[in-house]
Amino acid sequence: MRLKSLKLAGFKSFVDPIQIDFPGIMCGIVGPNGCGKSNIIDAIKWVKGELSPKSLRSESLQDVIFNGSDTRKPVSHCSVELFFDNSENFLGGEYLEFDEVSVKREMGRDGQSNYFINNASARRRDVQDLFLGTGLGGNSYAIIEQGIISSLVGAKPEELRSYVEEAAGISKYKERKRETESRIRRTSENISRLKDLEDEVKRSIRRLNAEANLTSKYKKLRDKEKEYQKFILSDDMGELLKLMNESEKENKSIDKDLEKMDGDRLALVAKRDVTKTQLMESLKELEEEQRGFFESGAKISLIEEKEKTVSIRIEELSKEEQKNLANLEDLSKELDSAKSDLSQINEDIMQDILNDSKKVIKKMESDISDKDSVLIEKSLKEFWKKGYQYGIGESGEAVETINALREQFASRNEQIIIDIDSMKKDLVKEKGELSGLIEIRKTQELKVIELRSNQDKANEEMRTIEAEITKLETEKERIVQQRNEKEVNKRTIEIDIKEKQEKLDLYEEVKDLEGERDLIVQDLEKLQKRIMNLGPINFAAPETLEAEKERKETLSGQIEELETSLNKLDEAIRKIDMESNKSFHNCLNSVNKYLEEMFPKLFGGGFCKLDLLDKSEDSGLILMARLPGKKNTKLSQLSGGEKALTALALVFSLFSINPAPFCLLDEVDAPLDDDNTGRFINLVNEMSEKVQFIFVTHNKISMEKSSHLLGVTMRDLGVSKVVSVDVEQAMELAQS
Ligand code: ATP
Ligand code: MG
C-alpha cells in the first residue's frame, strides 16, 4: 500500500486547496525553513485521528485551521484527505475490493471533526482501526518527527515495547484485549451486583418463609375463630328473632287497645256534641224565657211608676181644687169690697185732680202767651175729663176682673173633678192589668230557675264528658309514646338482625359448631389472645415468597450465564495473551536479529539489542548498544549523530519485521555527517523496496538519492505552495 496523494485545504499554512502527489517510493520534500514542510507531516498525523494539539505543535485543536496572514483572511474550516493505492490488497476485510482507499477528516472552528473513509461518513475509531497493526497505528514508529530521532533511543521502556508490539501486529490484539478486559470488568461488576441482589433475595426468602408460616398459622386460627363467631352469632340471632316476635305481639295488642280507645273517644265526642247541641238549645230557651221575665218586670215597673205619678197628680189636682175653692171665697169678699170702694174712689179722684191742675196753672201763668193760655185751658179741660174717666173706669174694671177670675176658678175645678175621676178609673183598670202581669212574672221566674238549673246540669255533664275525653287522650298519648318506644326497640332489633344476618351470610363455608355457648365464648377468647400474640401478619408473604423464589431462579440463571461468559472471556484473554506474547517474543527476536546485522553495517562493527526490563509478562524494553572500539553501552553518552543512527537502526529493524505502507521522516539526517548521511540514505534506499519513504531534508546527499523531489515554497508570505523540483532547484530552494 502506497500513499498516492494528499489533499489539503485550510490546514495550517496550506490555505488554498492543494493536491500533493507522491509518485515515487523515495519522495524528498525540500524547502526553506518555515515554508510548511513539517505541516505536511502534521496533516498526515491529523487525518489519522490525532487529538493532542501538542503532538500537532499547536495549543488548541482549532489552531490547525489557517489563521490568516498579512494578505489573507483566516478560514472557517480545514480538511485533509489521504489517497492510498490498495491495488495489492494491503488493506483487507471490507476494503479488499477497493484499489484506492481514501481517508478524510474535516473540522470547523467549533472543533467538531467529521471523518470519511472512501467518502462515506465514518467514526474516528473506524479510521484508527484501519491503520492499526499496519505500523501506522497508534504510537507509530513509521512517522519520525523533526528533532525526535535522537530521543528515540532514550524512549521509555513501555514506549519501546509499544513500537515492537505495533511491528508484531499485536496492537490490534491489545485493543481487543482492552475491550475484552473492560467487558470482563463490566461482567464481573454485573455478576457481583447480581450476587448482591441474589443474597438480598435469599435473605428476603428466609424472612418471607417465616412470615408465610405465621400467615398460614394465623389463617387457621382465624378459620377456627370464624366457627366460634358463627356459633355465637347464630345464637344471638335466635335470641333476637324471639325478641322480635315478642315485640311484634306486644305491638299488636297495644294497637288493639289503641283502636278501642279511639272508639271510646269517638263515642264520648259524639255524646259531648249531642249535649252541646242540647245545651245550646236550652240556652236559647232560657234566654227567651229570661227576656219575657225581664219584659214583664219592666212592664210592672212602668205601671207602678204610672200609678205613682197618677196618684201624685190626683193629689195635686185635689190640692188645686181646695185652693181654688178658697180663692173663690176670697174673690167673693173682694168683690163686695170692690163695689163699696167704687163710690169712694170717684170723689177722691176728682178732688186730687183739681188740686194738681191748679198748681200747674199757677206755675205756668208768669210766662205764657194768650195764644198759649187758650191752648192750656183746652188741655186742662181734656185732662180733667180724662182723670174723671180714669177713676171711674178703674174701679169698674176690678169688679169685672174679679168676676172673671171667679169664673175661671170655678171652671177649673170642674175640669179637675172630671180629670181626677177619669184618672181614678184608669188606675183601677191598670191595677187589674198589674196583678195579671205579676202572676205571669212569677210563672216566668220559676221557668227561668228551672231552665238555669237544667243548664247547670248540662254544663256539668259536658265538663264530665270533656274530662273523660281528656283522660282518654292523655292515656292514649301515653300508650302511643310507649308504642313508639316499642317500635324503636323493634327497629333496633331489626337492624341488629339484618347486620347479624349479613355477617352470617359471609360464613357460608364455615363449619357449624355445636356446644354450649359459655364454653364456646371462653374458647373464642383464648383463641383471640393467641391471634393477638402472633403479632403483625404479612398477608402478602406467601405470594411475595413465590415471586421472590422466581426472582431468585432468574437471578441464579443470569449469574450462571454471566459466569459462563466470564469464563469464556477469561479464556479469550488468555488466548490473546498467549498469542500476543508469542508474537511479541518472535518479533523481538527478529528485531534483535536484524539489529545484530544492521548495526555493524551502519557503524562498521559493535552491537545493539533490545532487552526485556524484567521478567513480567508485559515488561518494558531497553535498548542496549556498543559502538565499535568503544567501551560503554550507555546510550545517553552517545553523540547526537550516533543516537540518530542507532535510532534509525532500530526503526529499520522494526520495518524489516513489519513494513508500514509508508514512512515519514522529518529531517532525520540533520545531525548526521556526510558519511553517515550516505549510510542512512543507502539504508533508506535498500528499505524502499518494501516501504515508501517520504522524507523532509535539507541534505544534498539525501536529495540526490530521492526518486522524486517536492519543493515547498512560501512566495505569498504565510501561504504554502508545492512545486516539483530537481536536485539543483531543490538545493537552491533549500538555501533561499
Ligand atoms: P523548518 O525547515 O524550519 O523545519 P518547515 O518548512 O518545516 O520549517 P513548518 O514547521 O512546516 O516549517 O511551518 C511553519 C510555518 O507554518 C510557520 O511559519 C507558521 O506560521 C505556519 N503555520 C503554522 N500553523 C499555521 C496556521 N494555523 N495558519 C497559518 N500558518 C500557520
Ligand atoms: Mg520542519
Side-chain angles (χ1 to χ4, degrees):
M1 187 172 87
R2 214 166 45 77
L3 179 64
K4 273 166 76 178
S5 55
L6 170 68
K7 272 186 184 171
L8 297 157
F11 189 86
K12 289 203 168 183
S13 53
F14 291 91
V15 57
D16 295 322
I18 183 176
Q19 178 169 333
I20 305 171
D21 294 323
F22 301 102
I25 45 161
M26 274 182 69
C27 285
I29 299 174
V30 298
N33 291 138
C35 67
K37 302 182 294 293
S38 297
N39 288 346
I40 294 173
I41 311 288
D42 289 340
I44 295 166
K45 281 174 77 180
W46 186 71
V47 179
K48 278 170 64 237
E50 184 59 63
L51 288 181
S52 150
K54 206 174 132 202
S55 116
L56 295 166
R57 302 181 298 141
S58 305
E59 276 180 18
S60 72
L61 263 184
Q62 287 89 333
D63 278 350
V64 299
I65 303 172
F66 177 74
N67 57 18
S69 68
D70 281 353
T71 51
R72 299 290 290 265
K73 284 183 181 166
V75 292
S76 59
H77 72 281
C78 63
S79 73
V80 177
E81 190 168 11
L82 299 177
F83 294 88
F84 295 102
D85 176 357
N86 193 36
S87 52
E88 287 165 19
N89 301 332
F90 184 83
L91 291 174
E94 53 193 303
Y95 309 109
L96 195 68
E97 55 184 299
F98 295 102
D99 282 348
E100 185 184 87
V101 174
S102 69
V103 178
K104 184 178 169 185
R105 178 179 178 180
E106 54 183 32
M107 186 182 79
R109 286 268 170 210
D110 60 359
Q112 286 294 318
S113 290
N114 294 317
Y115 295 87
F116 302 88
I117 298 175
N118 284 350
N119 282 326
S121 183
R123 295 171 304 169
R124 175 172 173 263
R125 230 197 113 148
D126 299 327
V127 173
Q128 285 177 322
D129 282 352
L130 185 82
F131 292 108
L132 219 57
T134 62
L136 286 164
N139 194 8
S140 174
Y141 51 82
I143 300 172
I144 312 282
E145 288 157 65
Q146 187 171 2
I148 67 140
I149 184 69
S150 311
S151 62
L152 206 68
V153 291
K156 286 178 189 158
E158 314 85 81
E159 210 174 326
L160 282 174
R161 182 178 171 110
S162 77
Y163 292 141
V164 177
E165 281 178 345
E166 175 69 18
I170 58 173
S171 48
K172 230 180 191 170
Y173 289 129
K174 278 222 146 179
E175 192 55 35
R176 250 180 41 217
K177 187 184 165 183
R178 258 196 296 280
E179 277 172 16
T180 313
E181 274 171 346
S182 88
R183 222 176 299 146
I184 286 175
R185 248 195 323 279
R186 279 201 303 275
T187 310
S188 302
E189 276 168 17
N190 284 342
I191 288 175
S192 104
R193 252 202 307 275
L194 287 174
K195 278 193 169 163
D196 283 352
L197 277 177
E198 195 189 35
D199 283 350
E200 210 181 287
V201 173
K202 276 181 190 165
R203 274 198 298 278
S204 147
I205 286 174
R206 270 201 297 280
R207 198 193 64 236
L208 284 167
N209 254 325
E211 285 179 359
N213 281 340
L214 204 66
T215 310
S216 97
K217 200 170 175 184
Y218 173 87
K219 277 185 180 157
K220 274 180 200 155
L221 289 176
R222 274 280 187 226
D223 285 347
K224 197 79 195 148
E225 186 192 26
K226 272 186 200 162
E227 283 172 24
Y228 290 159
Q229 280 173 333
K230 191 188 172 188
F231 173 86
I232 292 168
L233 212 55
S234 309
D235 199 47
D236 287 350
M237 190 70 164
E239 275 302 306
L240 282 173
L241 287 171
K242 225 190 266 171
L243 275 178
M244 182 72 180
N245 209 9
E246 275 167 23
S247 160
E248 269 171 0
K249 257 189 213 162
E250 250 177 20
N251 280 356
K252 261 184 203 156
S253 130
I254 291 174
D255 285 346
K256 230 182 203 172
D257 288 352
L258 282 175
E259 250 172 51
K260 192 180 166 287
M261 281 178 115
D262 280 342
D264 290 353
R265 188 183 164 273
L266 280 179
L268 277 172
V269 167
K271 197 174 163 191
R272 184 194 63 189
D273 290 348
V274 169
T275 316
K276 205 173 183 178
T277 320
Q278 282 170 353
L279 197 65
M280 291 309 287
E281 274 167 14
S282 76
L283 188 67
K284 226 157 99 190
E285 204 185 337
L286 173 67
E287 274 170 0
E288 203 112 303
E289 208 57 57
Q290 255 173 353
R291 206 178 55 235
F293 174 71
F294 291 139
E295 265 173 18
S296 333
K299 266 185 198 163
I300 289 167
S301 313
L302 211 67
I303 292 170
E304 280 172 350
E305 195 60 36
K306 204 173 164 189
E307 268 180 353
K308 243 184 242 168
T309 319
V310 171
S311 297
I312 291 165
R313 187 66 189 146
I314 288 172
E315 216 168 290
E316 273 173 8
L317 285 174
S318 297
K319 270 182 194 165
E320 195 185 341
E321 189 191 7
Q322 293 306 314
K323 210 173 154 189
N324 282 347
L325 287 174
N327 281 344
L328 276 173
E329 214 167 296
D330 288 345
L331 280 173
S332 294
K333 278 177 195 164
E334 259 184 59
L335 190 60
D336 291 340
S337 130
K339 275 174 184 169
S340 72
D341 281 351
L342 194 52
S343 53
Q344 185 65 44
I345 287 165
N346 284 341
E347 282 172 30
D348 290 348
I349 288 168
M350 281 308 286
Q351 197 57 51
D352 282 349
I353 291 167
L354 213 53
N355 290 342
D356 285 345
S357 308
K358 281 176 185 166
K359 272 181 207 170
V360 171
I361 292 160
K362 218 177 178 179
K363 197 188 166 211
M364 286 173 158
E365 268 176 346
S366 57
D367 48 18
I368 56 169
S369 62
D370 296 337
K371 191 184 163 191
D372 289 336
S373 38
V374 174
L375 277 170
I376 289 164
E377 227 175 92
K378 198 180 167 188
S379 301
L380 272 172
K381 279 175 188 168
E382 272 173 27
F383 187 72
W384 283 347
K385 204 172 149 188
K386 269 182 188 173
Y388 177 75
Q389 280 171 346
Y390 175 73
I392 306 270
E394 198 180 52
S395 296
E397 253 174 51
V399 172
E400 269 168 40
T401 306
I402 290 164
N403 279 334
L405 275 173
R406 284 183 63 193
E407 262 170 49
Q408 262 179 28
F409 280 124
S411 81
R412 174 72 191 142
N413 271 6
E414 271 167 34
Q415 186 62 44
I416 286 172
I417 289 161
I418 293 166
D419 284 352
I420 287 174
D421 202 42
S422 134
M423 274 179 196
K424 277 182 178 165
K425 264 183 201 155
D426 277 355
L427 267 181
V428 171
K429 195 182 155 202
E430 284 195 357
K431 263 202 174 117
E433 214 174 297
L434 186 64
S435 62
L437 273 174
I438 287 167
E439 270 315 301
I440 290 169
R441 198 167 177 252
K442 261 184 199 159
T443 328
Q444 280 175 330
E445 194 173 15
L446 287 173
K447 185 78 181 166
V448 165
I449 289 166
E450 188 200 324
L451 283 173
R452 270 190 189 148
S453 128
N454 285 349
Q455 190 81 26
D456 286 348
K457 269 188 214 154
N459 271 328
E460 186 56 40
E461 200 180 342
M462 272 287 282
R463 268 196 294 280
T464 317
I465 296 172
E466 289 286 2
E468 266 180 73
I469 291 175
T470 313
K471 199 180 147 201
L472 207 64
E473 278 174 351
T474 318
E475 180 62 10
K476 191 192 164 186
E477 219 166 88
R478 193 184 61 79
I479 294 177
V480 165
Q481 178 74 20
Q482 218 176 43
R483 171 76 173 78
N484 286 346
E485 276 167 21
K486 292 231 183 271
E487 189 58 39
V488 171
N489 221 13
K490 195 185 137 201
R491 291 294 304 154
T492 319
I493 297 171
E494 264 173 16
I495 291 167
D496 232 6
I497 288 176
K498 201 177 160 218
E499 270 178 16
K500 292 221 154 60
Q501 190 54 55
E502 274 169 11
K503 277 186 192 165
L504 269 174
D505 289 346
L506 299 175
Y507 285 116
E508 269 165 22
E509 287 163 28
V510 176
K511 261 199 289 174
D512 278 326
L513 269 189
E514 276 180 27
E516 272 185 43
R517 185 187 170 107
D518 287 352
L519 289 176
I520 284 177
V521 168
Q522 272 175 24
D523 282 354
L524 176 64
E525 273 171 15
K526 275 185 212 158
L527 192 77
Q528 281 171 335
K529 244 181 224 162
R530 279 175 71 193
I531 292 174
M532 282 280 285
N533 288 340
L534 289 182
I537 301 296
N538 179 6
F539 293 103
E543 254 176 57
T544 322
L545 180 65
E546 281 315 302
E548 286 293 86
K549 276 181 181 167
E550 261 175 46
R551 208 170 139 218
K552 202 218 143 217
E553 286 295 299
T554 318
L555 282 172
S556 304
Q558 284 171 346
I559 290 171
E560 209 180 292
E561 242 171 61
L562 284 179
E563 275 174 342
T564 315
S565 74
L566 190 67
N567 287 340
K568 277 186 189 154
L569 287 172
D570 278 342
E571 187 59 31
I573 287 272
R574 257 200 310 282
K575 236 178 179 172
I576 290 170
D577 278 350
M578 237 166 62
E579 276 171 25
S580 311
N581 227 12
K582 210 166 122 192
S583 304
F584 175 77
H585 285 287
N586 284 345
C587 183
L588 185 62
N589 287 340
S590 303
V591 168
N592 279 333
K593 219 170 134 196
Y594 275 97
L595 271 177
E596 235 174 76
E597 271 179 35
M598 204 177 297
F599 194 80
K601 248 195 225 169
L602 279 171
F603 288 95
F607 85 94
C608 178
K609 86 181 264 210
L610 272 173
D611 231 349
L612 286 162
L613 194 63
D614 53 52
K615 286 188 175 158
S616 66
E617 253 187 29
D618 52 356
S619 161
L621 296 173
I622 46 165
L623 188 66
M624 321 238 291
R626 199 173 69 211
L627 297 183
K630 296 189 178 172
K631 228 176 153 182
N632 66 62
T633 54
K634 279 189 185 162
L635 288 168
S636 57
Q637 289 176 344
L638 295 179
S639 78
E642 286 169 344
K643 276 183 188 165
L645 217 53
T646 309
L648 278 170
L650 174 64
V651 170
F652 290 154
S653 326
L654 293 169
F655 272 126
S656 64
I657 312 293
N658 183 11
F662 60 88
C663 174
L664 304 176
L665 303 169
D666 194 352
E667 295 190 35
V668 292
D669 54 2
L672 304 181
D673 59 20
D674 284 354
D675 278 355
N676 279 335
T677 304
R679 286 191 188 109
F680 152 73
I681 204 70
N682 282 337
L683 209 56
V684 170
N685 197 22
E686 219 173 277
M687 201 63 77
S688 69
E689 279 174 25
K690 294 178 186 170
V691 185
Q692 176 191 17
F693 281 95
I694 296 164
F695 53 90
V696 179
T697 184
H698 286 289
N699 197 309
K700 198 184 175 198
I701 300 166
S702 298
M703 288 182 207
E704 278 170 345
K705 279 281 179 182
S706 60
S707 61
H708 193 83
L709 278 173
L710 292 170
V712 183
T713 67
M714 216 179 234
R715 275 185 207 121
D716 291 341
L717 218 59
V719 177
S720 298
K721 292 267 158 58
V722 176
V723 289
S724 265
V725 287
D726 59 23
V727 180
E728 293 311 313
Q729 287 167 324
M731 281 307 293
E732 266 175 44
L733 205 59
Q735 282 150 19
S736 65

